[in-house]
Amino acid sequence: MLRQVLLAASASDQIRGLLTGTSAARAVVRRYVPGETAADAVRAARELRAAGLLVTLDYLGEDTTDPLRAASVATEYMALLDSLSAEGLTEGGEVEVSVKPTALGLLLGDSGDAVPVPGPLGEKIATEHIEQIVAKAASVGTTVTIDAEDHRTTDASLRIAGKLREEHPWVGSVVQAALRRTEADVRTLAAPGTRVRLCKGAYNEPVSEAYTDEHDIDKSFARCLRTLMEGPGYPMIATHDPRLIRITAALGLYRDRGSFEYQMLYGIRADEQARLAASGARVRVYVPYGQDWYGYLVRRLAERPASLGLLLRSLGPGQRRSSR
Ligand code: FDA
């Protein structure tokens, strides 16, 4: 219930204003988002690499309604990849990027307005932008993963990734255990070398499309996990859940250590990230950056009501008002 209220609140400008109003509230935001600029993202990537962790960087933003904005997101990614390459961070895919199709135009319609479901024009625009990013990534020796958004976008996102994999087999897809369709998607995607990120799913989905009970989501995750870990692809297991991490480790005993990776979000269970990396596992941290951090933050708070309590206290009258 709280999760649904929070996810519904994610469009509120008033709440966004509150979150930047005090230094303590900004500290909660910074826990999950290291900064708003590409320089902040590169710095975070450098620090994580120094700690032996792999990185995927996400320029925040989604559901773009403006074609110019979609083009500028692609430009941002290309400049980011150049900056990472200049610092020697992209070699061997050590620091890669994650992209959201709706930030790159997937929901744009013929009229230029956003449409509720992706159409041919939006898919064409998003494909072209992601293609540019993929070509840049190839030129600097790294990879791209296409994030999963809500279920309306799943078919188009998987199609875009499939098309781009024809030339660049390392383009990654993301699947969400919460969606009822995902077990079938995973069977198709468990192909030689295919990079597939498995996560629980962060969106508020209708019951017709998704499991809503957390135990059902966990069971679906475990089934998808087994298919991926027993298959010939490159599984990227994105969870902080201790039980699912233990199952991954057990299934990983039957695979080469370099043939799969764990993934976690920036600022969440950093101790566990370090422990797994110290054990010799490949661990990648998903690092979001940019000004458009609000929707991302609300999804994280919805998963972790304790952080919400911390945030609400930080907004209290005793907190110092910021001048910014
Ligand atoms: P769960 O939420 O059950 O958490 C398990 C444990 O992790 C908790 O008990 C707690 O200890 C810790 N934890 C979890 N969230 C926390 C928080 N916010 N603060 C502090 N501790 C926390 N989703 C999506 O729909 N599309 C996508 O493309 C991606 N991409 C993605 C990449 C990566 C690398 C990760 C790790 C996750 C995603 N996700 C995602 C998000 C994912 O779908 C899911 O919403 C979150 O990972 C939370 O689910 P967990 O599997 O961590 O389990």
Side-chain angles (χ1 to χ4, degrees):
M1 177 64 180
L2 176 64
R3 182 170 188 268
Q4 274 157 2
V5 172
L6 277 169
L7 291 173
S10 62
S12 162
D13 281 350
Q14 269 179 332
I15 298 179
R16 185 191 163 95
L18 273 176
L19 292 179
T20 44
T22 71
S23 53
R26 281 206 307 280
V28 177
V29 177
R30 283 290 166 268
R31 172 182 170 182
Y32 295 109
V33 180
E36 296 194 346
T37 66
D40 294 327
V42 173
R43 177 182 35 79
R46 204 187 306 119
E47 288 168 7
L48 290 163
R49 284 301 301 132
L53 297 159
L54 305 165
V55 178
T56 186
L57 291 174
D58 166 45
Y59 179 53
L60 288 164
E62 53 203 280
D63 295 349
T64 299
T65 55
D66 174 4
L68 292 177
R69 171 74 189 154
S72 77
V73 170
T75 307
E76 168 76 23
Y77 270 109
M78 295 205 278
L80 174 68
L81 285 162
D82 276 334
S83 305
L84 290 167
S85 170
E87 297 230 8
L89 289 166
T90 47
E91 276 159 38
E94 290 174 351
V95 179
E96 64 140 30
V97 295
S98 287
V99 299
K100 284 194 170 44
T102 71
L104 289 154
L106 183 62
L107 296 180
L108 293 175
D110 288 326
S111 60
D113 296 336
V115 291
V117 285
L121 181 65
E123 188 167 331
K124 180 170 177 289
I125 295 171
T127 304
E128 284 168 7
H129 287 145
I130 298 174
E131 213 160 19
Q132 286 172 0
I133 298 167
V134 163
K136 172 61 82 175
S139 76
V140 299
T142 192
T143 53
V144 177
T145 300
I146 301 180
D147 281 351
E149 303 178 80
D150 73 55
H151 76 274
R152 298 167 307 157
T153 66
T154 309
D155 278 323
S157 298
L158 293 179
R159 249 192 325 266
I160 294 171
K163 179 174 184 295
L164 296 175
R165 268 198 291 274
E166 287 168 12
E167 192 176 346
H168 300 289
W170 41 258
V171 172
S173 282
V174 178
V175 291
Q176 298 152 313
L179 294 188
R180 296 177 191 276
R181 58 175 287 165
T182 294
E183 272 186 83
D185 287 336
V186 154
R187 280 195 292 274
T188 309
L189 287 165
T194 302
R195 297 171 64 251
V196 182
R197 178 194 301 157
L198 172 63
C199 65
K200 287 190 184 180
Y203 294 81
N204 201 9
E205 301 284 12
V207 70
S208 55
E209 301 292 335
Y211 304 108
T212 48
D213 180 279
E214 64 186 61
H215 299 294
D216 290 336
I217 298 173
D218 288 358
K219 282 191 273 180
S220 167
F221 194 112
R223 290 191 295 269
C224 296
L225 176 62
R226 179 174 287 276
T227 304
L228 289 173
M229 291 294 280
E230 290 179 353
Y234 181 84
M236 305 185 283
I237 308 306
T239 183
H240 315 94
D241 188 323
R243 201 154 51 118
L244 294 172
I245 291 171
R246 277 199 300 276
I247 298 173
T248 308
L251 292 169
L253 294 175
Y254 300 94
R255 296 181 69 104
D256 179 52
R257 271 190 166 177
S259 73
F260 70 101
E261 66 188 41
Y262 296 90
Q263 296 193 344
M264 295 190 206
L265 301 176
Y266 181 82
I268 302 182
R269 301 204 69 200
D271 51 346
E272 181 66 355
Q273 297 169 15
R275 184 192 71 80
L276 286 168
S279 76
R282 284 169 67 82
V283 183
R284 191 176 300 271
V285 182
Y286 183 107
V287 182
Y289 79 98
Q291 295 184 328
D292 212 349
W293 44 260
Y294 181 64
Y296 176 87
L297 181 77
V298 168
R299 287 198 288 276
R300 302 291 78 80
L301 295 177
E303 286 153 9
R304 187 68 170 167
S307 304
L308 180 67
L310 188 69
L311 184 69
L312 291 176
R313 281 195 297 282
S314 75
L315 300 174
Q319 299 296 333
R320 186 173 59 82
R321 283 269 148 207
S322 143
S323 53
R324 257 185 16 173

